[in-house]
Amino acid sequence: HRPEGSMNMTDRYEIVLDQTLCSGMGDCIRNAPDVFALRSDGIAELLVAETDDAAALDAVRSCPMAAIAAYRLGTHEQVA
């Protein structure tokens, strides 16, 4: 539970996917199915570019090809 008024832009993340690095392992989809999907050619794609879903950070960290990054909105600090 968050204290009232604690939600701000730092709770949201920009997700960046380099599809040229993607090998279609699917770890991102398993970790964050609301953020990632597989295209018909087996390459991951973003369903949303911004999210507050912490599972997206798990998905970034699970990518064996390091094809995904997450940045905190507002500061653009890389968080995963």
Side-chain angles (χ1 to χ4, degrees):
H1 181 275
R2 291 176 198 258
E4 192 171 334
S6 70
M7 188 168 177
N8 57 44
M9 283 187 62
T10 59
D11 295 311
R12 292 191 60 80
Y13 307 99
E14 175 188 7
I15 308 300
V16 178
L17 169 63
D18 183 344
Q19 291 177 317
T20 65
L21 296 176
C22 179
S23 63
M25 300 295 285
D27 292 351
C28 57
I29 291 99
R30 282 187 289 283
N31 279 289
D34 293 335
V35 179
F36 299 93
L38 278 185
R39 301 185 319 204
S40 61
D41 63 359
I43 300 300
E45 67 180 348
L46 290 173
L47 298 175
V48 296
E50 295 179 5
T51 184
D52 59 1
D53 186 351
L57 301 182
D58 293 333
V60 171
R61 293 180 188 112
S62 74
C63 180
M65 304 307 293
I68 317 165
Y71 300 91
R72 191 178 309 280
L73 284 180
T75 66
H76 207 66
E77 167 195 7
Q78 187 170 355
V79 293

